[in-house]
Amino acid sequence: MFRSDASKLSLILLMTPFVLWIGLLIVLPQLGIGYISLREKVGPREYELGLANYIDFINEPIYWNTLLRTAWMSILVTALALLVGFPVAYYIAKIAQQRSRAALFLLCLIPLWVSDLVRAFGWIVLLRETGVVSGMLQTAGLISGPVELLYNDVTVVIGLVYTVVLFMIVPLFSTLDGMDNSLLEAGYNLGGSRVTVFRRIVVPYAMPGIVAGCIITFMLTAGSYLTPILLGGKNSSWFTEQIYDQFITRYNWESGATFGVLLLGFTSFVVWLGLRLTGQSLANTVAKE
Amino acid sequence: MDDLQCDGLTKRFGNFTAVNDVSFAVPSGSFFSILGPSGCGKTTLMRMIAGFENPSKGDIKIKGNSVLATPPNKRNVKMVFQHLALFPMMNVGENIAYGLRCRGEPKADIAHKVAAVLERIGLPGVEEKEVAQLSGGQKQRIAIARCMVLEPDVLLLDEPLGALDLKLRERMKIELKLLQHQFDTTFLYITHDQSEALVMSDNVAVMNAGRFEQIGTPQELYHSPASGFVAGFVGDTNRWKGRVVSIADGAAKVQTAAGEIVAAASGEDVAEGVEVDVFVRPEAIELGVPENGNSLRGKVDSLLFNGANSRILVRIADGELIEVNYPVMDGGGGLSAGDDVEIGWARERGRCFAAAR
Amino acid sequence: MRKLGRTLIATTAMAMVFGGATAQAETTLRILTWGSYAPDKVIEMFEEKYPDIKVEVTFSNNEEMIAKLRATGGAGYDLAQPSHDRIYAAQLEYDIYKPLDLSQIDTSNMDPNLLAGVKANTTIDGEVYAVPHQWGTSGLMADITKAPDFNSWDDLCDPQYKGRTSMRLKRTILLGTAFAMGKDPFAAYADLDEYQNILDEVTEKLIACKDNIKTYWQGGDDLSSLMLSGEVIASETWDSTAYKLYGENQNIVFIPPETGALAWIDTFTIPRKGEADDAAYKWINFVLQPEIVTMMSASTGAIAAVNGGIDLLPEDKKAAVQAAFDDEDIANLKFFANIPAGVEDMEGKALERIKAATGG
């Protein structure tokens, strides 16, 4: 009796901060946003419940084009981050010496020590027309005049990959690190080539990390703000920018909230679709036997 | 012809020599064990044979051909890993089919071969099971089947019983031996457990500090060990120190703290005045004084009941404890702790080796 | 939602009670203003004069100021400084300011025209909600060695400067372009259909112009580096940024467009739930003193809305203003008109359309 009461109490005490955090800082604000998105403005300080904000979104191609573009580029960034991150994670987890591993891992984390803004300005200094790269190319005689490397989608994608690749490497590293080397050796011993071992053993084993990393990077990318705006220039639309504009520049909280709900819904949908198409489940990424 | 032959195999890691000039040959279809304490280099030796390490010196031949230039995935040597290394993301059938698919065999053949090998190991129809659903012994057999389906020239086993509990280990020893007979394939078995090696093997190599101390049948190792290390490592034994007083006809008179005894002088460096270790197995010792044997006086320290393997511990004059077989401990033996006893053994049942310096 | 709101307010109130208890008799003056509008030196002097008042400053811009006040219903700050055109509609819509007690403000020293203008723009039901603080303009700047004839909003789209001009994609450029097309957008505020027509034409023009633009600048810092590096030779700009650059490169000058520079007046307003009105009035009167005005202008680059404001500028800024403006330009200033409800939305849509268009 006493025992079960005590364990119940400790369970409650342990859960409280988590429930408060989730409830007050995540669920409640989301409900608030959802509620605001359902308010139609009919006049100054006058609102009605309705779906007008959502209908406005559907009727305006600029909005859903931007959303689609954001999603598409985020998928591209996620794929590139996976391509770049996997070899790095594999190297740190499986090839590097035990001693240098911590140092390498730390090295990967260094970019997190400076803010998004500073990192974006770093790219600007490198890539602008009068910047370092352009200057070096000219000195090397590869180009005759200054070249503008900023303000295009390629730069945005590179900048985003750079920003999010860490969040791909960390979960990949931790799954690969947990992989017994003898699995690889067994794979070779039984006649597998490098490609076979990679495709049939390493990738399936790392799948939980791949899925987790992809979800994190995709969500982070779709929700990023500074990098696409600062590196993108005149033609770069990003959906978060429109949310900001609605909330701040146009005082249109209703529409901004609608966009927020749509961004969350749409990115969740893309994640769900991705899981379905690759035959993975969310449970796989957290619960592994 | 020998399936596997190693000549002067040496492996160095920096200044450390893990395997030092090892040569041996494993005849076709035999069960060969390498027995040694952990860290003796036996795993490195096996990894060189599998191709995961390159030897610093020497040669490895499989069916007479050197395989040094052959990458691990092309050597027809398969390996059962210490923790089995069954692929967790594949079911049993896929695990076994993996090697066949790597070889590019036709699908129908693969299914057929997988079913056949499962039949042979006594687990028919488990193709669809997940690895995690199997018991320890079943996993063991699947790991062997995964190799055997590829019909290797040599099967390497790296302490595969280490993770099992005692009962299962005892059973698997017998089962492994039977499987080896059934597949009629050369097994190279690595272990630090002398009883595994003795029970299963046709031949055993005892390895210590990177070198082979002795290669022989289990009986040879047990009854005529070539070194003090082998005598101490293989089988249970009593051991105590002494100094050679004189040698005659291969029998050494040894002065120990408990008295003077005579033992067979083994090895060339046993000579007058040399410090030696004397080894006598418990089953060689009995209560009473045999004719023309050694004898020592002592006190019964304790009685260790274990059925047919029951023993008594006798404390002799210098304080050493000696294990003595005492199979008839049914309570009627009349011995109890504290009794004075005299123990003895035939002279040729004791051996002495020059003490390690 | 309402319940949550109450809880939040209660929590905030509690925090304030406890916070206040530790600060004892001291009043905290929380100012929500533009970057550089509260230089440390001025705060120090103010706190020296009124030792019982502690100044806390939050830097922001028009849109964020209003968004912040809207979120709290006008709480959290004791003094805010939005531009004069951002008060009337925001007050009607969100009720975030409180009426000023003009008897507490020393208006005698203020420039009478600007004071009258701000009052006229921010009076609701006979109550005045704002008085002017500083004014400045938005216009053009150019490196005169490379773009000597630059003098119209239109020139930003001139193909001879292709890839060498910049602008900020905000309402200023919409209005400027409208003026350059011979329209009067402020007059059209009265008739929103008419204004929409103007916006449509402006949108089309700016989409066509997109190819000519290097990039849209986001803030003073990136505009400065674009101009100083020579990557951009002419741009739409805030005058203060242009003056700052003039200090570094005398070839970069502020150019009032031929249709008139767009003038804004940053004001003083008191948020509806401000808690330190007395301190706020003291701050207002304090910073309008001539010797403080010069220090303030040195920091902001804008001109104080007091008599002889230009003369009170620090020498370098005065030189820059005199290099940019003559009397005719001053007479030609177009003060931003009050933004009626709904216009922000219309302009926002136009800006979105321009941003989303692929002009190359």
Side-chain angles (χ1 to χ4, degrees), chain C residues 13 24 29 50 64 86 89 116-117 126 137-138 151 157 166-167 177-178 181 194 207 219 237 243 249 255 260 270 344:
Chain C
Q24 286 173 358
L29 175 61
Y50 302 104
E64 285 181 8
R86 300 298 187 118
T137 58
S138 285
N151 69 349
C157 305
S166 181
M167 57 175 70
T177 307
M181 291 163 74
E194 168 64 16
I207 289 176
T237 184
Y243 299 157
N249 178 353
I255 300 169
I270 299 189
E344 264 129 357

Side-chain angles (χ1 to χ4, degrees), chain A residues 249-251, chain C residues 86 89 339-349:
Chain A
T249 323
R250 291 170 62 178
Y251 307 146
Chain C
R86 300 298 187 118
I339 307 173
V343 160
E344 264 129 357
D345 227 32
M346 292 161 64
E347 290 172 344
K349 269 211 167 107

